[in-house]
Amino acid sequence: GHLPPIVLVHSRTARIALLLIAVHLAVRAVLAFGGYFYWDDLILVGRAGTQPLLSPAYLFDDHDGHVMPAAFLLAGTITRLAPLNWVGPALSLVVLAALAALALLRALYVILGWRPVLLAPLTFALFTPLAIPSYAWWAAGLNSLPMSAAMAWVCADAILLIRTGRRRYAVSAVLVYVGGLLFFEKSAIIPFVAFAVVALYGHVTATVSVRDVWRRGARVWLACLAVTVAWVGVYLLVVDQRRWSFDLAMTWDLLARSVTHGVVPGLIGGPWQWQRWAPASPWATPGSVVMVLGWAALAAVVAVTLYRKERLGPVWLTALGYVAACQVPIYLMRSSRFTALELAQSLRYLPDLVLVLTLLAAVGLCAPNRPGSSRLDASRVRSVALAGLTSVFVASSLYSTATFLRSWQDNPTESYLRTAQAGLAAARAESDAPLLDQEVDPLVLQRVAWPENLASHMFALLDDRPEFADSTTQLRMLDSAGHVVDAVVTWVRSITPGPLPQCGYLVQPDFPAVLALDGPLLPADWTAELNYLANSDGSIVVALSEGEEVRVPVRPGLNRVFVRLSGAGDAITVRADTAALSVCLASGPVGFVAPR
């Protein structure tokens, strides 16, 4: 079941297959190193910088409906080694792509041997653009690539177990399946795919019945079933199930759009063109030409395979069923009547479909030829035609990949993060005053990702930066481009003048003060400018009337401090937290922080 080294050296098909994988990895390396952090990637970065990597809270987080402890651990380790350095994530994508490609080659070898026809499904899997969007995005690649590798490996092990009855294939399959689940909960489909592939292989080759597939592989199927049940229990404990919807009309529209604008054009290397509106990821925008060619190619493949091969009906039905099965659960979780159909054109949910279609194609190629189809037997004409069609497919796929990369690189995150890192280093050299925490630019990460959209999370692991705190004596902020600039507090509300002449509001340990505002504040993160006169060093505790308390250090004399307050209300309460401390507080603004 492994790739024999001697056969690899002397098999022309094997050498060509390895060459195709090498070209595939070169293309994937260009994609990976040409990209950068995007959206969920920065959520992974922020969580790795603010939580212990081995804590259950970190590993078993409900990440937008995903349970992926191994992906979190790998991402956290890479992030801790080199914070906000894209080399590590890009390299991990290439390594995982290599593992997935080699696992697929092993599966194809187990099904087809070193027959030259192996190169056709392998070429499709390696170069079709259908798998590109889920690869270039690091967070998605950490899910899809291990799942693809695990699926290919388990399918191969299942076939070898049925053939040989050797226990080691059962053990290997279950262990790899568990590994796939730890990276992506969608890997729960692997045993079902493996059973279908083995059963279809037995059907088309007339070597084993479905009943025998179950009986001979019972060790794998039952063990995987037990693992799946346990993992479903973990998933239900971790994930908030209220995100599920049952808008069947929208689900159908999304499924149809993914087929017409994604799957079918992808069969011939489409979509050729992509669009993007930051901060969304690119989505496929195939023209009418590539869509018509895709349908024509699909019809031709169906006609030729049914003319050439026997017993392919169940194979084609399985392929059609999986197109729906791999997407419908995701659309039920992600969609509502307000969902844009472009979600289906992002093609993020199709990498496992590519692998399943590839394995089913390999199984179909094992079916016996129909009597009377000899005109399709091996010949120079057939070889030239197949070589030509393959070359056109690869060229079309590479063009789509190149246009995707151009769209993918239209990403404001890289400029923002690089500018911010330089600005934070300069700010630290200029002053030891801390920075108030703030949300980063919404084109980089929006508020729905809170708290990972906070600068204190995104830049937590950087050494050369100021500290982030709830109060500071020097108000600075990151602007929309990532520069650290001097800032002011906007006058959304103001602290009304206090009742004591020459003092305003007097705060002492036994006498807290309530600083009235000239109007109410809605729930949000506000910043208050406190102008004070203190008699000694100490600290005060400040809070909105409906908000969390913040401890603020004060210095003797006339000073100013800026405090970040979360909450709402129409007043600010202040109490002294140091014995013998007296503080006079004057009027000042309460609002948002804006560049000076």
Side-chain angles (χ1 to χ4, degrees), residues 395-413:
S396 174
S397 298
L398 292 178
Y399 178 76
S400 293
T401 302
T403 56
F404 173 86
L405 180 58
R406 283 200 296 271
S407 180
W408 184 242
Q409 289 176 328
D410 180 18
N411 181 4
T413 302

Side-chain angles (χ1 to χ4, degrees), residues 1 21 44 53 145 194 277 286 310-311 339 342 422 427 447 472 504 551 555:
I21 290 176
L44 300 182
L53 295 191
L145 291 170
W277 298 337
E310 298 178 343
R311 307 175 189 150
T339 302
E342 283 76 11
R447 183 169 294 182
T472 183
R551 179 168 279 98
R555 298 175 298 171

Side-chain angles (χ1 to χ4, degrees), residues 68-239:
M68 40 188 264
F72 276 134
L73 183 59
L74 178 58
T77 301
I78 293 172
T79 300
R80 290 282 184 92
L81 290 174
L84 293 178
N85 187 326
W86 180 244
V87 172
L91 188 59
S92 70
L93 286 172
V94 177
V95 171
L96 290 173
L99 294 176
L102 291 174
L104 175 60
L105 178 59
R106 174 183 182 258
L108 294 177
Y109 165 73
V110 168
I111 296 171
L112 293 167
W114 290 126
R115 295 164 54 192
V117 74
L118 171 148
L119 300 174
L122 179 65
T123 301
F124 169 76
L126 295 180
F127 294 102
T128 179
L130 294 176
I132 293 300
S134 65
Y135 166 83
W137 187 357
W138 186 38
L142 290 173
N143 292 152
S144 64
L145 291 170
M147 180 182 71
S148 297
M151 183 181 290
W153 191 274
V154 172
C155 287
D157 273 355
I159 293 175
L160 291 169
L161 176 64
I162 301 303
R163 282 181 186 170
T164 67
R166 293 178 183 172
R167 182 181 177 183
R168 66 187 181 96
Y169 294 120
V171 174
S172 171
V174 174
L175 291 178
V176 171
Y177 172 52
V178 171
L181 276 177
L182 292 175
F183 277 93
F184 193 15
E185 74 285 342
K186 193 179 179 182
S187 297
I189 62 175
I190 288 177
F192 302 97
V193 171
F195 185 87
V197 168
V198 177
L200 290 170
Y201 177 77
H203 169 72
V204 302
T205 58
T207 55
V208 62
S209 66
V210 174
R211 177 178 297 179
D212 287 337
V213 168
W214 172 262
R215 181 176 55 83
R216 296 183 191 178
R219 285 175 292 187
V220 167
W221 314 132
L222 293 177
C224 287
L225 179 62
V227 170
T228 303
V229 170
W231 193 251
V232 168
V234 172
Y235 184 85
L236 294 177
L237 286 174
V238 170
V239 172

